[in-house]
């Protein structure tokens, strides 16, 4: 939550590049902004929320999940299927 807006935009662009670089297509992107979390994570009570809907090869999802786990500013993420 303490990230500067430029750093947040850079992080979102990095995730978008992972998706499009693997042949995926981003269909919807929504910035929810700063929100209170349901419970504290790493002593943080608020966080920046982003929603991205995309189409990608199912084999890419595990790679995306792994990449997002390795990025320190992303404290929580969820990838689901529609």
């Amino acid at each position: 939550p303490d990230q500067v807006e430029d750093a947040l935009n850079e992080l979102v662009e990095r995730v978008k590049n992972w998706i499009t670089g693997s042949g995926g297509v981003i269909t919807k992107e929504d910035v929810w902004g700063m929100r209170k979390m349901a419970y504290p994570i790493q002593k943080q009570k608020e966080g920046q929320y982003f929603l991205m809907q995309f189409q990608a090869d199912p084999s890419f999802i595990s790679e995306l999940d792994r990449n997002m786990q390795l990025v320190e500013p992303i404290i929580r993420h969820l990838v689901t299927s529609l």
Side-chain angles (χ1 to χ4, degrees):
D2 299 334
Q3 294 291 317
V4 180
E5 188 171 336
D6 292 338
L8 287 171
N9 292 335
E10 182 180 314
L11 183 59
V12 171
E13 286 299 319
R14 187 186 323 175
V15 173
K16 287 166 51 175
N17 288 337
W18 288 336
I19 294 168
T20 57
S22 72
V25 177
I26 298 173
T27 56
K28 183 179 178 182
E29 182 181 345
D30 195 10
V31 179
W32 291 1
M34 184 70 77
R35 302 246 174 154
K36 185 177 177 186
M37 292 191 265
Y39 54 91
I41 300 172
Q42 298 176 2
K43 299 182 181 178
Q44 299 292 326
K45 295 180 181 181
E46 293 183 327
Q48 293 283 346
Y49 281 68
F50 297 90
L51 173 68
M52 271 190 223
Q53 291 181 357
F54 62 93
Q55 296 176 349
D57 189 58
S59 62
F60 168 70
I61 302 302
S62 61
E63 180 183 340
L64 177 65
D65 187 50
R66 181 181 167 277
N67 286 339
M68 290 176 70
Q69 286 177 356
L70 295 175
V71 177
E72 187 175 337
I74 300 176
I75 58 175
R76 202 55 103 218
H77 70 277
L78 179 66
V79 179
T80 60
S81 176
L82 293 177

